[in-house]
Amino acid sequence: MSGYTTLGEFVIDRQTDFQYATGELSRLLSAIRLAAKIVNREVNKAGLVDILGETGVENIQGETQQKLDVFADEIFLEAIRVRGDVCGIGSEEQDEYIAFENERSKQGKYILLIDPLDGSSNIDVNVSIGTIFSIYRRVSPYGTKATKEDFLQEGRKQVAAGYVIYGSSTMLVFATGNGVNGFTYDPSIGVFYLSHPDMKIPEDGQVYSINEGNYVHFPDGVKKYIKYCQDEDEATNRPYTSRYIGSLVADFHRNLIKGGIYIYPTSKKAPNGKLRLLYECNPMAYLIEQAGGIATDGKNNILDIKPTDLHQRTPLFIGSKKMVEKAHHFVKEFGG
Ligand code: AHM
Ligand code: MG
């Protein structure tokens, strides 16, 4: 621990570093922190109580939501709504964005996009899952209801983004434009402590993360890159290690610390990839850039994509700079 700085102290200390220091962003982060603690409590006891299992309701992507997803969605939405600091929220679990009607919220300068519980297929097997969030300044006038344009901004316009990983320890990792900082939760006293100050991803790595079960469906450039990772070459320390948890937050977090690349490409089964630009890719791309890495769709920087739809999907190549560049080389030459 670095001198036992708590997340609350850190946010207050750094408030003036933030371009638009009005206290609203600090309050918003505090609401996220509170909701994360409540979700963490439920995640930890998920094996004990009857919260597991599917609700039978399908989300907009046609996937069945599990109960803990619904719970996390409600908790985050409620924690943010009652504080009135944002004018609207978009959630991966909701078809449409929510524009708050009350006067205080309409004065809010920010909107929040959230994937309340990502990696939900891992809930009932006791594997790490996460929450991903992203904050933008609104483009519509203060005092009015949030509009779709507020939510459809390029990732480059984010003012903060982060994730919570519910793993062997629970951590909250976030950035507001001045680097990435990670806080580990001490459940015995309910406090997040700064444990990973100024996180940087190694420029190169030896871990590749991709669902290789879909190999036959991948474009040739991705197939060739996987083979490159598996080839033997002493000079570049290959073959690399393959690690794929199936929870973006957990795979990302490991690669951020150790160096690596995560790929969710296009495939015959998922022509636009699987991951959502607004809820998953943009926040992770914002974090990785501030940590010294890069994120692309195989060609273009994720943060430069102009969204046209709230639930738009994109392929994702994210991680250590040199690994992503090498993957690009294969995509460019053989297609991706
Ligand atoms: P979800 O939002 O429905 O949980 O899906 C996103 C998850 C990511 O966390 C993970 O990296 C990916 O889907 C795994 O997908 P697959 O099982 O197709 O490899
Ligand atoms: Mg998700």
Side-chain angles (χ1 to χ4, degrees), residues 92 115 117-119 132 275-276 279-280:
E92 193 198 285
D115 182 352
L117 212 58
D118 184 66
I132 308 171
L275 301 177
R276 291 75 169 173
Y279 302 106
E280 292 159 334

PDB file of all heavy atoms in Angstrom, residues 92 115 117-119 132 275-276 279-280, ligand 2:
ATOM      1  N   GLU A  92     -25.557  -1.351 -20.529  1.00  0.00           N
ATOM      2  CA  GLU A  92     -25.559  -2.457 -21.489  1.00  0.00           C
ATOM      3  C   GLU A  92     -26.805  -3.323 -21.325  1.00  0.00           C
ATOM      4  O   GLU A  92     -27.251  -3.961 -22.265  1.00  0.00           O
ATOM      5  CB  GLU A  92     -24.300  -3.313 -21.304  1.00  0.00           C
ATOM      6  CG  GLU A  92     -24.098  -4.261 -22.471  1.00  0.00           C
ATOM      7  CD  GLU A  92     -23.160  -5.395 -22.150  1.00  0.00           C
ATOM      8  OE1 GLU A  92     -21.951  -5.161 -22.085  1.00  0.00           O
ATOM      9  OE2 GLU A  92     -23.643  -6.525 -21.977  1.00  0.00           O
ATOM     10  N   ASP A 115     -21.438  -1.017 -18.081  1.00  0.00           N
ATOM     11  CA  ASP A 115     -21.734  -2.444 -18.210  1.00  0.00           C
ATOM     12  C   ASP A 115     -21.689  -2.950 -16.773  1.00  0.00           C
ATOM     13  O   ASP A 115     -20.613  -3.160 -16.209  1.00  0.00           O
ATOM     14  CB  ASP A 115     -20.677  -3.145 -19.079  1.00  0.00           C
ATOM     15  CG  ASP A 115     -21.001  -4.619 -19.269  1.00  0.00           C
ATOM     16  OD1 ASP A 115     -21.942  -5.111 -18.619  1.00  0.00           O
ATOM     17  OD2 ASP A 115     -20.311  -5.290 -20.066  1.00  0.00           O
ATOM     18  N   LEU A 117     -22.365  -5.683 -15.061  1.00  0.00           N
ATOM     19  CA  LEU A 117     -21.694  -6.937 -14.691  1.00  0.00           C
ATOM     20  C   LEU A 117     -21.261  -7.652 -15.967  1.00  0.00           C
ATOM     21  O   LEU A 117     -22.064  -8.317 -16.628  1.00  0.00           O
ATOM     22  CB  LEU A 117     -22.630  -7.826 -13.869  1.00  0.00           C
ATOM     23  CG  LEU A 117     -21.895  -8.689 -12.840  1.00  0.00           C
ATOM     24  CD1 LEU A 117     -21.080  -7.847 -11.874  1.00  0.00           C
ATOM     25  CD2 LEU A 117     -22.878  -9.541 -12.076  1.00  0.00           C
ATOM     26  N   ASP A 118     -20.004  -7.479 -16.290  1.00  0.00           N
ATOM     27  CA  ASP A 118     -19.480  -8.063 -17.517  1.00  0.00           C
ATOM     28  C   ASP A 118     -18.876  -9.443 -17.235  1.00  0.00           C
ATOM     29  O   ASP A 118     -18.321  -9.671 -16.163  1.00  0.00           O
ATOM     30  CB  ASP A 118     -18.404  -7.151 -18.107  1.00  0.00           C
ATOM     31  CG  ASP A 118     -17.914  -7.681 -19.430  1.00  0.00           C
ATOM     32  OD1 ASP A 118     -18.712  -7.707 -20.379  1.00  0.00           O
ATOM     33  OD2 ASP A 118     -16.751  -8.124 -19.496  1.00  0.00           O
ATOM     34  N   GLY A 119     -19.017 -10.325 -18.223  1.00  0.00           N
ATOM     35  CA  GLY A 119     -18.473 -11.687 -18.065  1.00  0.00           C
ATOM     36  C   GLY A 119     -19.453 -12.574 -17.323  1.00  0.00           C
ATOM     37  O   GLY A 119     -19.066 -13.463 -16.565  1.00  0.00           O
ATOM     38  N   ILE A 132     -17.786  -2.230 -15.828  1.00  0.00           N
ATOM     39  CA  ILE A 132     -17.005  -1.287 -16.643  1.00  0.00           C
ATOM     40  C   ILE A 132     -17.793   0.017 -16.756  1.00  0.00           C
ATOM     41  O   ILE A 132     -19.002  -0.022 -17.016  1.00  0.00           O
ATOM     42  CB  ILE A 132     -16.756  -1.853 -18.063  1.00  0.00           C
ATOM     43  CG1 ILE A 132     -16.167  -3.264 -17.997  1.00  0.00           C
ATOM     44  CG2 ILE A 132     -15.841  -0.933 -18.868  1.00  0.00           C
ATOM     45  CD1 ILE A 132     -16.093  -3.967 -19.347  1.00  0.00           C
ATOM     46  N   LEU A 275     -18.021  -7.533 -28.771  1.00  0.00           N
ATOM     47  CA  LEU A 275     -17.996  -6.546 -27.687  1.00  0.00           C
ATOM     48  C   LEU A 275     -18.622  -5.223 -28.108  1.00  0.00           C
ATOM     49  O   LEU A 275     -18.593  -4.849 -29.289  1.00  0.00           O
ATOM     50  CB  LEU A 275     -16.563  -6.338 -27.210  1.00  0.00           C
ATOM     51  CG  LEU A 275     -15.878  -7.616 -26.702  1.00  0.00           C
ATOM     52  CD1 LEU A 275     -14.435  -7.341 -26.323  1.00  0.00           C
ATOM     53  CD2 LEU A 275     -16.641  -8.220 -25.534  1.00  0.00           C
ATOM     54  N   ARG A 276     -19.171  -4.527 -27.148  1.00  0.00           N
ATOM     55  CA  ARG A 276     -19.888  -3.284 -27.414  1.00  0.00           C
ATOM     56  C   ARG A 276     -18.923  -2.108 -27.340  1.00  0.00           C
ATOM     57  O   ARG A 276     -18.175  -1.958 -26.373  1.00  0.00           O
ATOM     58  CB  ARG A 276     -21.001  -3.044 -26.396  1.00  0.00           C
ATOM     59  CG  ARG A 276     -22.170  -3.977 -26.481  1.00  0.00           C
ATOM     60  CD  ARG A 276     -21.807  -5.295 -25.928  1.00  0.00           C
ATOM     61  NE  ARG A 276     -22.938  -6.177 -25.739  1.00  0.00           N
ATOM     62  CZ  ARG A 276     -22.802  -7.441 -25.391  1.00  0.00           C
ATOM     63  NH1 ARG A 276     -21.605  -8.000 -25.269  1.00  0.00           N
ATOM     64  NH2 ARG A 276     -23.859  -8.180 -25.192  1.00  0.00           N
ATOM     65  N   TYR A 279     -19.940   0.378 -24.203  1.00  0.00           N
ATOM     66  CA  TYR A 279     -19.953  -0.121 -22.820  1.00  0.00           C
ATOM     67  C   TYR A 279     -18.672  -0.869 -22.443  1.00  0.00           C
ATOM     68  O   TYR A 279     -18.354  -0.984 -21.267  1.00  0.00           O
ATOM     69  CB  TYR A 279     -21.159  -1.044 -22.615  1.00  0.00           C
ATOM     70  CG  TYR A 279     -22.461  -0.361 -22.909  1.00  0.00           C
ATOM     71  CD1 TYR A 279     -23.186  -0.646 -24.065  1.00  0.00           C
ATOM     72  CD2 TYR A 279     -22.951   0.614 -22.052  1.00  0.00           C
ATOM     73  CE1 TYR A 279     -24.371   0.000 -24.345  1.00  0.00           C
ATOM     74  CE2 TYR A 279     -24.130   1.277 -22.325  1.00  0.00           C
ATOM     75  CZ  TYR A 279     -24.845   0.964 -23.474  1.00  0.00           C
ATOM     76  OH  TYR A 279     -26.003   1.623 -23.744  1.00  0.00           O
ATOM     77  N   GLU A 280     -17.997  -1.433 -23.433  1.00  0.00           N
ATOM     78  CA  GLU A 280     -16.831  -2.265 -23.116  1.00  0.00           C
ATOM     79  C   GLU A 280     -15.544  -1.731 -23.742  1.00  0.00           C
ATOM     80  O   GLU A 280     -14.526  -1.581 -23.062  1.00  0.00           O
ATOM     81  CB  GLU A 280     -17.096  -3.712 -23.578  1.00  0.00           C
ATOM     82  CG  GLU A 280     -18.198  -4.372 -22.750  1.00  0.00           C
ATOM     83  CD  GLU A 280     -18.879  -5.559 -23.421  1.00  0.00           C
ATOM     84  OE1 GLU A 280     -18.884  -5.608 -24.672  1.00  0.00           O
ATOM     85  OE2 GLU A 280     -19.429  -6.415 -22.712  1.00  0.00           O
TER      86      GLU A 280
HETATM   87 MG    MG B   2     -20.485  -6.954 -21.136  1.00  0.00          MG
END
